[in-house]
Amino acid sequence: MFSMIIAIGISASILRAKATLDESRFKPEYFTRNRKMPFEKLLKFMLSMNKTSTQNALNKFFEKEGITMSQQALSKARNKFDHTPFLKLYNAIREAYYSSEYIVTLDKLHNKFIIAIDGSDTSLPNLPGLRDKFGGTGAKASSPTARMSIAYDVTNDFIIDADFSPLTVSERTHAKNHLEKVGNLIDLKEAIFIMDRGYASEELIRLFSEKSNYLFRIRNKFNVEIDNLPLGSHILKIYNGLKVRIIKFTLPSGEIETLMTNLFELNEPEFKELYFKRWSVEVKFDIVKNKLEMPCFGGFTENIIMQDFWISMYLANIAAIAKREADLEIKEQRKDKNNKYEYQANVNTLIGSLRDRFATAVFSRNPFHRVKVLKRVITEIQHSVVPIRPDDGSTPRYENTRKSKFHYNKRSNL
């Protein structure tokens, strides 16, 4: 099984490589002199997941050394190199995770990987340059906003692909890009891609039909013939002969759910459970935005925003690896307790433990110290568990009536 020890070993080799510095700095003379924050130390600070105010984080980071560094100096240092060190980390971990050595240990459902694709708008610092680059929302499109999209391996709690773009790049374009990149890691015939309303189109339906398996939720009035179908499972042809399967069922709210797929061998009742697996991608966005606090960007330039995005994608997967490892330990510990529910690691505790120690483990040059730190993290996680309650889709969803999507009391660095 792919473990935290393996992930940290890969991470350390990338972060310490001279090529990482050489390929990312904007000028050859950057990070050549002995400063308060040399390149390796700067990377350690950025991966520490400290989301208090930047100045407080710097004061804590340098506390034992008895020196100080200003927020302005940090921003200047961060703008001397691009986001590629963190993109390298993200890519290296996912490529190892789905390598031939470890892919056989990963979970599947119906003998396939379940990949949920979804996008989310992300508010940016209110600066004209960012609005010009990424676009805007709100009155007169005045609020700078970017689009984040992920392809999420539901069965293994892993962000298998991610992108961050201007609003002019559509979710459907992201979906096509995700399909291509996921295909470089796994056999697309061994995957089922699940997407919500808004993704289904003739182009995407044809593309996914050719390359993989799909399950689209489709909106009302998408197709008159489909709208007129009764509840149940139906096979019909659209777009001049393309064979599709339509499943219609009633939700507890009374709303009729309509799904489209090219999976013809599954039984009708299995589709309701399968589609509800998509909800996990919403939970992953919550972890990225509210627990890893990605929208609390550490600066006001496009460069720093891209750094923070790839740091968040990398750390989200590191947290998932730690959780998978801890969950196996928790399951083993509780196997004879006859609990009503199975239990899993508490994500808040997990991220708190990683926040304090992960960067220390990555940059430790003593392998025994690294293992000791990781064991302590896993032990802390094991002692904070929550029950896994079945979700049949009947839990009511409430719309957020706040004008601000990320309320001030959820953000620790304001």
Side-chain angles (χ1 to χ4, degrees):
M1 186 186 78
F2 194 88
S3 66
M4 283 290 287
I5 287 290
I6 298 168
I8 285 181
I10 294 171
S11 303
S13 65
I14 291 173
L15 294 172
R16 291 177 187 156
K18 186 175 183 298
T20 299
L21 169 60
D22 292 341
E23 293 168 6
S24 63
R25 58 185 171 184
F26 293 124
K27 294 182 179 180
E29 61 267 27
Y30 286 162
F31 299 104
T32 55
R33 290 190 285 178
N34 188 19
R35 299 282 191 177
K36 293 178 182 178
M37 190 77 91
F39 187 64
E40 186 173 314
K41 198 170 190 177
L42 177 58
L43 296 180
K44 180 179 180 180
F45 174 80
M46 294 172 69
L47 291 176
S48 65
M49 296 190 280
N50 197 325
K51 288 291 186 176
T52 59
S53 72
T54 303
Q55 192 59 61
N56 285 342
L58 284 167
N59 294 342
K60 181 180 179 181
F61 187 75
F62 284 110
E63 187 176 14
K64 293 182 180 179
E65 300 178 42
I67 59 177
T68 59
M69 182 178 183
S70 69
Q71 181 176 343
Q72 291 77 12
L74 173 67
S75 182
K76 185 177 179 180
R78 289 188 63 173
N79 277 310
K80 289 181 177 179
F81 71 102
D82 62 23
H83 64 274
T84 55
F86 310 110
L87 177 57
K88 281 184 180 180
L89 288 174
Y90 170 80
N91 284 335
I93 295 300
R94 71 169 182 170
E95 286 164 11
Y97 197 77
Y98 291 96
S99 67
S100 57
E101 183 176 358
Y102 299 109
I103 197 169
V104 293
T105 68
L106 299 181
D107 295 328
K108 293 182 179 181
L109 181 65
H110 303 301
N111 202 33
K112 297 186 185 298
F113 294 103
I114 309 300
I115 312 293
I117 293 178
D118 203 6
S120 177
D121 290 352
T122 302
S123 298
L124 304 177
N126 193 15
L127 294 173
L130 294 177
R131 184 173 63 249
D132 293 341
K133 169 66 180 179
F134 291 98
T137 56
K140 299 181 180 179
S142 59
S143 178
T145 306
R147 174 163 290 130
M148 173 172 60
S149 181
I150 63 174
Y152 174 61
D153 182 349
V154 173
T155 38
N156 295 288
D157 187 21
F158 201 89
I159 299 175
I160 191 171
D161 191 47
D163 204 356
F164 193 85
S165 72
L167 291 175
T168 52
V169 181
S170 71
E171 290 184 332
R172 291 173 180 173
T173 298
H174 280 303
K176 290 189 290 184
N177 294 338
H178 290 320
L179 179 68
E180 179 182 354
K181 293 179 181 178
V182 171
N184 293 329
L185 296 169
I186 64 174
D187 183 350
L188 290 177
K189 296 299 182 182
E190 295 182 3
I192 301 172
F193 289 85
I194 305 178
M195 285 160 276
D196 203 0
R197 290 178 299 190
Y199 281 93
S201 67
E202 180 177 356
E203 181 186 15
L204 277 192
I205 292 168
R206 287 190 179 278
L207 179 64
F208 278 85
S209 293
E210 293 170 3
K211 294 182 178 294
S212 188
N213 306 286
Y214 66 83
L215 182 63
F216 287 105
R217 181 187 180 192
I218 58 176
R219 63 186 186 276
N220 293 332
K221 299 182 181 179
F222 176 81
N223 177 287
V224 174
E225 185 178 359
I226 293 174
D227 285 345
N228 292 332
L229 291 173
L231 298 178
S233 176
H234 313 273
I235 295 176
L236 68 155
K237 291 184 178 181
I238 60 175
Y239 306 136
N240 297 319
L242 181 65
K243 184 180 177 182
V244 299
R245 184 179 183 183
I246 303 298
I247 300 95
K248 301 181 79 169
F249 55 90
T250 304
L251 296 172
S253 64
E255 180 185 359
I256 294 177
E257 189 93 298
T258 304
L259 305 177
M260 177 187 290
T261 184
N262 62 343
L263 295 165
F264 301 100
E265 69 281 2
L266 293 185
N267 296 323
E268 180 184 336
E270 293 176 303
F271 283 98
K272 183 176 181 181
E273 176 190 359
L274 180 59
Y275 182 76
F276 284 132
K277 295 289 182 183
R278 196 205 71 86
W279 180 249
S280 299
V281 74
E282 307 283 357
V283 176
K284 184 56 64 173
F285 273 124
D286 175 66
I287 290 173
V288 169
K289 286 188 167 184
N290 294 326
K291 294 179 172 61
L292 291 174
E293 301 180 89
M294 190 202 76
C296 302
F297 297 108
F300 304 101
T301 65
E302 178 188 347
N303 183 54
I304 289 179
I305 287 168
M306 294 307 300
Q307 289 175 359
D308 284 349
F309 171 73
W310 287 113
I311 288 172
S312 297
M313 294 300 100
Y314 164 71
L315 291 176
N317 282 343
I318 289 294
I321 293 166
K323 183 177 182 299
R324 182 182 176 93
E325 198 169 327
D327 284 347
L328 289 175
E329 296 285 346
I330 292 167
K331 186 175 182 178
E332 181 64 24
Q333 288 179 353
R334 308 181 77 91
K335 65 180 180 180
D336 298 323
K337 293 192 175 182
N338 297 319
N339 297 123
K340 180 179 179 181
Y341 299 113
E342 289 188 12
Y343 282 76
Q344 64 181 349
N346 185 310
V347 175
N348 290 321
T349 301
L350 185 153
I351 290 175
S353 297
L354 288 175
R355 194 186 304 277
D356 291 338
R357 300 183 181 89
F358 173 70
T360 299
V362 170
F363 288 91
S364 174
R365 297 185 183 275
N366 184 331
F368 298 104
H369 178 254
R370 183 183 297 169
V371 171
K372 183 178 179 180
V373 171
L374 287 180
K375 283 185 176 179
R376 184 171 179 182
V377 169
I378 298 299
T379 299
E380 286 183 354
I381 296 170
Q382 289 175 232
H383 285 87
S384 180
V385 298
V386 292
I388 304 173
R389 293 186 173 89
D391 183 8
D392 58 2
S394 61
T395 303
R397 302 179 187 177
Y398 301 99
E399 292 187 6
N400 182 3
T401 57
R402 298 188 189 279
K403 292 182 179 180
S404 174
K405 192 171 184 180
F406 300 101
H407 196 241
Y408 66 87
N409 63 9
K410 286 189 177 181
R411 301 181 69 172
S412 58
N413 70 337
L414 293 180

